[in-house]
Structure formats: C-alpha cells, structure tokens
Amino acid sequence: MIRRARNFLRTLIRREHWWAEAWSGLMLASFGAVSLMARPEHLHALPSTRW
C-alpha cells in the first residue's frame, strides 16, 4: 500500500501541472502580503535626480 501511494505521488508530480500553479499562487500571495505590510515610502523608488 505504501509503494502504491509513492507511485501515485510520483505520477502526480511528474504529469500534473498543479504544483506549478501552487508555487505561483504562493509567490503572488507572499508578494501581496509584503506589499500590504510595507510602509508606503519603501514601495516607491527614489528618483535618480533629486532636483
């Protein structure tokens, strides 16, 4: 039974694309969380010429 479960997980990881969508969703959620927690001054780049 354990061998069958391992084989099933291997075929899921090799053939399905859900893991790529999961990683991209995790990255998008983490970017959103960081941008919500950051202060507004840190989100805007400083201009190259100050005056």
Side-chain angles (χ1 to χ4, degrees):
M1 185 168 170
I2 294 173
R3 186 180 304 154
R4 189 183 296 178
R6 285 182 185 169
N7 288 338
F8 179 71
L9 286 175
R10 282 187 193 139
T11 56
L12 269 182
I13 290 172
R14 288 181 186 165
R15 294 183 181 173
E16 297 292 331
H17 57 87
W18 61 269
W19 56 270
E21 294 174 3
W23 280 112
S24 63
L26 181 66
M27 289 296 158
L28 183 62
S30 63
F31 177 76
V34 167
S35 64
L36 285 175
M37 287 188 276
R39 289 182 282 171
E41 306 91 50
H42 297 293
L43 295 178
H44 301 291
L46 291 173
S48 59
T49 56
R50 301 238 171 158
W51 296 101

